[in-house]
Amino acid sequence: MGDKLPENPMPAWMKILIVALALPVAGFPLLLAGAPADSMARLLVWFYPAYVAASAVCAWICYGQRPEVTWILLVLMVLSHFSIYYLALGQ
């Protein structure tokens, strides 16, 4: 097999940041209630928790070897929070 890259230990502040940035998914019932029925927005709201969970897990896993990717995933997660809340509640 190939040489493994050295792993950076994940600091506690990064663990707290990842968990904190995943917390807005707790508003899922509010989003579901605010999304118009029979629309694409409602379908996207249903996929939103799975996306946030997958992003948080991937950010957690990849920090050891690629911390830049972790930051990119976290920024995309924040943008998706703003987008889904605007989509469901901004109409």
Side-chain angles (χ1 to χ4, degrees):
M1 297 276 168
D3 294 332
K4 288 194 74 158
L5 295 173
E7 289 204 24
N8 300 327
M10 185 184 298
W13 62 267
M14 180 56 83
K15 294 175 184 178
I16 293 169
L17 182 65
I18 291 172
V19 171
L21 290 179
L23 283 179
V25 81
F28 174 71
L30 175 69
L31 292 171
L32 197 56
D38 297 332
S39 69
M40 182 62 131
R42 193 165 185 91
L43 180 64
L44 291 173
V45 168
W46 273 107
F47 285 117
Y48 171 66
Y51 165 74
V52 171
S55 292
V57 168
C58 288
W60 191 291
I61 290 171
C62 75
Y63 184 83
Q65 293 183 351
R66 299 196 184 255
E68 309 84 22
V69 176
T70 295
W71 285 107
I72 292 169
L73 287 170
L74 293 178
V75 168
L76 289 175
M77 190 186 323
V78 168
L79 290 174
S80 71
H81 291 320
F82 285 124
S83 300
I84 204 76
Y85 273 85
Y86 181 75
L87 179 67
L89 304 176
Q91 298 176 1

